[in-house]
Amino acid sequence: METEVFEELMVTVLVGGLILFMAFIVWDLAKKSKAGRYGTAVLFFALGLGVFGFLIKTIVIAIKGL
């Protein structure tokens, strides 16, 4: 396996793991702060925007490479 392929795979896997860990942190924060449904939705929406940005960046780079 070449270094570039390994790096791309690890970035995807590790950033995915980080996103899941951040989702757990947000869920725990919402639960401990008793944010309710609306507050929890707002917290996850803000996290979702960051995840969406990462996905869009990945897609744009993949399309540009074609």
Side-chain angles (χ1 to χ4, degrees):
M1 180 179 288
E2 293 187 25
T3 305
E4 293 146 358
V5 174
F6 179 73
E7 288 176 356
E8 182 179 345
L9 179 64
M10 285 299 104
V11 166
T12 304
V13 169
L14 294 176
V15 170
L18 181 62
I19 289 169
L20 290 174
F21 184 60
M22 287 173 26
F24 169 73
I25 291 171
V26 170
W27 174 78
D28 191 48
L29 176 68
K31 186 175 125 179
K32 286 183 180 178
S33 67
K34 299 176 185 172
R37 287 187 184 199
Y38 180 71
T40 303
V42 169
L43 287 170
F44 274 103
F45 177 73
L47 175 64
L49 286 176
V51 173
F52 183 69
F54 177 75
L55 291 175
I56 291 297
K57 180 192 78 138
T58 305
I59 292 169
V60 167
I61 290 172
I63 290 173
K64 187 177 179 183
L66 293 177

